[in-house]
Amino acid sequence: MATYIRIFPNNSILIYTVYATGVVVMTFWISSIFAIIFTCVPVQAAWDYTVTNARCIHIVDYFYISAGFGIATDMLLCFLPLPTIWNLTMQKAQRVVVCLLFNMGIFACVASILRLTQLHHLTGVDVSCK
């Protein structure tokens, strides 16, 4: 995101969108830390299945939300600079190549989507490596 701010300093809408995306991503990251730590109340119930009267969230649902959020932000950051790049004064072939280079991040989106499609395999309470 910092690269977009350096490359496109004159596009205020893009810069505000990048800053807003950064704030949203940081907020989600901080809340994710607490969501993972407090998966269960009391906390030790996350690893000690003998704790009675524990309340736990369904962690797989959290993984779906996290994956969806990651895909959405990856897609936003992939396609955000395209209108600015397309309006550059260069030959059309060069603009297409630059757009393709910026969209190499689509591979991260594809990897996240593949991860999302495999989350249904995590059906048990214990999602650690077996």
Side-chain angles (χ1 to χ4, degrees):
M1 289 190 286
T3 304
Y4 289 175
I5 294 169
R6 288 187 65 196
I7 293 175
F8 307 112
N10 298 329
N11 190 338
S12 62
I13 294 173
L14 187 125
I15 292 192
Y16 288 135
T17 306
V18 167
Y19 278 124
T21 304
V23 168
V24 169
V25 167
M26 290 299 292
T27 304
F28 185 77
W29 177 68
I30 291 169
S31 64
S32 293
I33 292 170
F34 289 105
I36 294 298
I37 291 172
F38 298 108
T39 300
C40 293
V41 176
V43 176
Q44 65 267 21
W47 63 84
D48 184 4
Y49 299 125
T50 62
V51 174
T52 57
N53 70 358
R55 292 179 300 132
C56 298
I57 64 170
H58 192 240
I59 196 69
V60 177
D61 291 341
Y62 166 75
F63 290 153
Y64 276 111
I65 292 168
S66 179
F69 183 79
I71 292 167
T73 55
D74 286 347
M75 297 291 269
L76 176 69
L77 292 174
C78 256
F79 295 115
L80 188 64
L82 292 184
T84 304
I85 293 170
W86 198 252
N87 290 328
L88 292 175
T89 54
M90 58 174 57
Q91 294 177 2
K92 187 175 183 177
Q94 289 177 325
R95 284 185 291 185
V96 169
V97 169
V98 172
C99 286
L100 288 174
L101 288 174
F102 266 86
N103 279 322
M104 294 304 278
I106 289 178
F107 290 118
C109 297
V110 170
S112 296
I113 291 168
L114 290 174
R115 176 181 170 264
L116 181 67
T117 62
Q118 297 302 310
L119 282 177
H120 68 277
H121 293 295
L122 298 175
T123 55
V125 175
D126 185 10
V127 294
S128 62
C129 185
K130 294 180 182 177

